[in-house]
Amino acid sequence: MFSLRIVLFSLLVAAVTCEDLDFPPGFQFGAASAAYQVEGGWNASDKGENIWDRFVHEKPHIIADHSTGDVACDSYRLWRRDIEMASDLGLHFYRMSIAWSRLLPNGFANKISEDGLNYYNNLIDGLLEKGIQPMVTLYHWDLPQRLQDLGGWTNPLIVDWFGDYARVVFSHFGDRVKSWITINEPSSICDIGHGSEIMAPGWQDPDNAVYLCNKYVLLSHAKAYRIYEAEFKAKYQGELSLANHLMWYEPFSPEDEELAETAREYIVS
Ligand SMILES: *[C@@H]1O[C@H](CO)[C@@H](O)[C@H](O)[C@H]1NC(C)=O
């Protein structure tokens, strides 16, 4: 027992003195959320309905305990407390998403919600006051229902709708936000959301909608990227990317090698 203690103690000393365990300079700690996961306030002020609102209200059986994001973490009301917690945790950055239909209630850029603008301005300013960099996702799965009714991600026009939305976001928040993610996980949005019933919009059309969606989601990312590059980059010097959901496939047996390669190529978005 005694010797075991000594060994453990030595290991501990070795561990805490080992320089290799230090995080490199500039390493940043952060936390991440998505609007639908945390905001609640699903019908607050003039916010428009989105596809997750519709999905959980119309198909409560999809969620095991029938819970919804109607209130969620109530971050629409409790954002000041969120910022305090992020600060207490010592976060360097906080990744959050903007709810498209909170900013543009009908999905289109011809009507901007004042309350939506205020909410995100307060959140961004509050984070920066605590020295926490906001990293903002434009689209984390919550398409305005109005746009879904027009075909959503399978309608080629969405590339322009998303571009218009992105321009509104960049022009209002780009002075303070320097890290942007255009779209979170195209493969989840398209392969799951359009090929199965388990995620909004639950389209279940694996032969057609999935492919159209993947195409127009990627073109929408490109559109937003080019808009930032042409209209905002020189002024604001921010960076943009998308967040991929990556998977890797290994063949079960040598005959499955080609299949595995097809799967790897397919999942790349
Ligand atoms: C908002 O939704 C809640 C249910 O989550 C409902 O009780 C309330 O009446 C709704 N408010 C408005 C203004 O529609």
Side-chain angles (χ1 to χ4, degrees):
M1 190 64 201
F2 181 66
S3 58
L4 183 64
R5 270 197 208 143
I6 290 181
V7 171
L8 281 176
F9 182 70
S10 324
L11 280 175
L12 201 62
V13 171
V16 294
T17 54
C18 174
E19 268 184 42
D20 286 343
L21 292 182
D22 289 345
F23 287 94
F27 189 93
Q28 298 205 322
F29 288 93
S33 66
Y36 186 77
Q37 289 173 328
V38 299
E39 285 181 3
W42 81 278
N43 58 1
S45 182
D46 54 355
K47 176 181 166 292
E49 187 187 22
N50 68 43
I51 57 174
W52 271 95
D53 297 325
R54 175 73 62 95
F55 189 63
V56 299
H57 292 154
E58 275 192 351
K59 298 181 170 180
H61 64 276
I62 301 279
I63 313 289
D65 64 358
H66 296 190
S67 58
T68 71
D70 290 359
V71 179
C73 307
D74 212 4
S75 291
Y76 184 66
R77 292 192 312 116
L78 303 179
W79 57 272
R80 289 182 187 83
R81 180 73 188 112
D82 290 351
I83 295 170
E84 276 171 22
M85 287 191 289
S87 178
D88 290 347
L89 275 171
L91 301 184
H92 299 117
F93 69 89
Y94 177 61
R95 180 183 162 193
M96 51 177 268
S97 81
I98 289 178
W100 188 336
S101 69
R102 192 180 298 290
L103 192 61
L104 307 181
N106 64 23
F108 294 100
N110 59 351
K111 178 171 185 270
I112 302 175
S113 163
E114 280 302 314
D115 284 345
L117 272 181
N118 288 338
Y119 176 64
Y120 294 112
N121 273 326
N122 286 334
L123 189 52
I124 290 165
D125 290 344
L127 288 164
L128 288 170
E129 275 165 28
K130 295 283 187 188
I132 301 167
Q133 296 297 319
M135 172 183 276
V136 176
T137 307
L138 272 68
Y139 185 74
H140 201 126
W141 305 358
D142 47 356
L143 194 73
Q145 182 62 42
R146 182 86 193 285
L147 302 186
Q148 185 63 49
D149 294 341
L150 298 171
W153 292 108
T154 68
N155 185 335
L157 292 174
I158 198 160
V159 179
D160 288 327
W161 303 338
F162 185 71
D164 293 344
Y165 163 57
R167 187 180 284 105
V168 170
V169 172
F170 297 148
S171 56
H172 285 90
F173 310 119
D175 56 338
R176 288 153 291 157
V177 177
K178 304 300 169 189
S179 300
W180 296 100
I181 293 172
T182 52
I183 292 172
N184 184 75
E185 296 180 358
S187 64
S188 303
I189 298 165
C190 300
D191 301 355
I192 305 175
H194 292 68
S196 77
E197 197 193 22
I198 64 173
M199 273 178 51
W203 198 326
Q204 300 178 72
D205 180 9
D207 295 336
N208 301 294
V210 161
Y211 291 94
L212 293 169
C213 174
N214 273 296
K215 175 173 179 178
Y216 298 123
V217 159
L218 293 179
L219 287 174
S220 297
H221 160 74
K223 183 82 174 183
Y225 187 95
R226 294 301 176 207
I227 286 173
Y228 191 84
E229 192 179 45
E231 302 172 28
F232 300 94
K233 179 90 181 169
K235 202 164 32 169
Y236 295 144
Q237 300 294 324
E239 291 182 313
L240 253 85
S241 188
L242 52 65
N244 274 338
H245 175 206
L246 294 175
M247 310 262 261
W248 184 258
Y249 295 92
E250 285 292 328
F252 187 68
S253 64
E255 305 92 79
D256 298 326
E257 180 48 60
E258 195 183 334
L259 188 61
E261 177 57 20
T262 304
R264 291 193 291 261
E265 286 175 11
Y266 178 76
I267 204 66
V268 101
S269 75

